[in-house]
Amino acid sequence: AQLDTLDLVVLAVLLLGTIAYFTKGTYWAVAKDPYGDSLAHTNGAAKKGKSRNIIEKLGRAGKTAWFSMAHRPTMVADLEDYDYENLDTFPSDKVAFFVLATYGEGEPTDNAVDFYEFIHAEEPSFSGEGDGEKPLSNFKFVAFGLGNNTYEHYNSMVRNVNKAFEALGATRIGAAGEGDDGAGTMEEDFLAWKEPMWAALAESMGLEEREAVYEPVFDVVERPDMDPEEDQVYLGEPNKNHLEGTSKGPYNANNPYIAPIAESREIFTAKDRNCLHMEIDLSGSNLSYTTGDHVAVWPTNAGKEVDRFLNITGLAPKRHTVISVKGLDPTAKVPFPSPTTYDAAVRYHMEICAPVSRQFVSTIAQFAPNDEIKAEMTKIGNDKEYFHETVIERSLNIAQLLEIMSNGEPWSKVPFSLFIEGIHKIQPRYYSISSSSLVQKDKVSVTAVVESTHKPNAPHIVKGVTTNYLLALKQKQHGDPDPDPHGLNYALDGPRNKYDGIHVPVHPIIMVGPGTGVAPFRGFVQERAAQARAGEKVGKTVLFFGCRRRTEDFLYEKDWEQWKQDLGDSFELHTAFSREGPNKVYVQHKLQENAKEINELLQQKAYFYVCGDASNMAREVNSLLAKIIAEQRGLPESKGEDIVKAMRAANQYQEDVW
Ligand code: FAD
């Protein structure tokens, strides 16, 4: 999430629906601390046995809306950690902030379901102690939504919650903001919404603005008395069991499984691009999957980028110094286990290669090595266009930006706490499983294109973190003792050599209904071919596959041929090669050519799956299908659109797009 809470710390209460989300929004994840259960001081959310009474918690933590009085007058909370019955007694001198993501077909994220149902009940059962006419007459709130305009129910969570609150008598301060990940403007939408909201808040609460002085959220203490090799120091292990070498299931986002890679190979024939097929072994983990599921892979940052970061921040000489990190306030969660080292925190836990947020540039400016650099950084932070030109267009990550700004002079004045606050916690990447659980129950395969993108004005090529890490693993598996794709130099052995023998940390995720692209489709077809070989009757499968050239990136060509032999007429493959002929041919063209058959199959209740690029392909396929249905059935186009909508609602049309 591009939301920087730094600016919100002068406010009263943050009730976060969710702040983490995945690009393009197909899969809106719940922001849970992956280390939630393993940390010594996870004092943020109310855990089992802790109070679910937010009013009580607010009082205890001494939180107040008056920022002149308190050190950090905010509290961040996960909606699912608290009860809602007493919101009618929410103090009128406090403000609740809601940051709400919309998931799938306009639904709340998992952690917001109870809350959403509660406030939408016919008569929400408030404790009844409030003294207003309507239950929430004293309740003040601010709301911002995280959505994606390529979806029909754009930002419906924030819209609906806003409506429900107003109906219950609550007072909203400022406009209900809407961030659009579809247009890639999430941070800018947030910044544009924030200014007027801020003014409204100041007016409503009688607040006075004053220059924000940086107050660290975390206390980072160096421990020269400790040796990094001591047993209790985390060198990248995600939790205590991993640290102690007693890792055990259940495996989930808090507890990844360090899975052996059974097999890996390159499946593009083009020399300048890579696509990896990897078989990840789950046997012994007790993990199971269903054809069409996803697997999450936890990356490690490239050594080159870790070095860059530690050099420019002046931390390189003490990279292996042990540090203890704790929240300075009971609601601040440390995003990695401690004690650890600077090296391990940066390498395994911080998303240092991601694009930089404009707010972070503004905040870090005050710690520039000299006033000239400070002035330039402040300018970049304040000017949307200039920021775009100097940072975004050049694809700079934070360390690259700092390097360029100071000409390599270390930024040693920046408190490490600020980096922990301003850089996101590293996120796992999701891959559609491209194997069938029927055929290989203990091994999932993934099909991953190695990310390598170059913007015209960028001084360098951006190398995807996870996919280049996987590429290095593949190279190691194929005999290179010290793979170094593009000089990136990954620590493949993992913390304390725990990944040695070619392992990757993974955890499973399951989407509603079968997931779907050529990755999941490979699994579907593989499964159906196995069923056919076993003499079972299988339904018709029609696959539309597109790529650049048959000779370069036609994935799994041999597999399709094999499965065609197993499936006979039950399997049809239509290929679209965009760069072979004079005209570009895409899957959309092939769909149009086969309109009649598609319509007939849909009338027989065929399922329609779309997988791959969300921004163009998926949207075009959606409208094309509506057109095909309308044409074939002699209906107006709007009716075709309604039919596709109904198919979506009935899960007959499913997307797995990113
Ligand atoms: P990242 O490092 O995360 O980079 C991602 C993008 O951001 C790149 O395009 C990169 O150029 C850009 N970027 C990074 N840093 C900067 C910067 N500083 N400035 C500007 N731009 C920057 N992928 C597959 O290949 N196969 C699949 O089957 C598949 N299934 C998926 C299923 C789901 C549900 C989802 C959500 C995603 C799926 N993906 C799949 C995408 C996958 O999860 C990853 O996003 C992808 O592999 C890139 O990961 P990465 O870590 O290598 O790249």
Side-chain angles (χ1 to χ4, degrees), residues 8 11-16 95-99 142 193 197-198 201:
L8 301 177
L11 293 171
V13 185
L14 270 166
L15 279 173
L16 291 196
V95 182
F97 272 62
F98 289 80
V99 180
V142 168
W193 160 81
M197 179 280 293
W198 205 247
L201 184 79

Side-chain angles (χ1 to χ4, degrees), residues 22 26-27 294 353-356 392 395-397 400 429-432 447-449 451 453 455 462-468 511 519 656-658:
F22 293 97
T26 34
Y27 182 80
H294 297 85
C353 294
V356 181
I392 297 299
S395 304
L396 302 179
N397 64 34
Q400 289 166 329
R429 311 306 202 259
Y430 293 85
Y431 296 91
S432 311
T447 310
V449 176
E451 284 280 346
T453 42
K455 286 197 188 150
V462 177
K463 296 287 177 190
V465 176
T466 318
T467 48
N468 282 285
M511 285 192 57
D656 178 9
V657 293
W658 57 83

Side-chain angles (χ1 to χ4, degrees), residues 157-169:
M157 264 303 279
V158 71
R159 293 179 189 179
N160 294 343
V161 166
N162 179 47
K163 257 193 247 155
F165 271 156
E166 289 188 332
L168 292 166

Side-chain angles (χ1 to χ4, degrees), residues 95-132:
V95 182
F97 272 62
F98 289 80
V99 180
L100 297 160
T102 300
Y103 178 90
E105 303 293 314
E107 295 127 52
T109 50
D110 290 352
N111 60 339
V113 169
D114 288 347
F115 160 75
Y116 191 77
E117 286 176 358
F118 179 83
I119 61 164
H120 282 91
E122 216 162 288
E123 269 186 52
S125 46
F126 288 109
S127 59
E129 291 158 24
D131 48 11

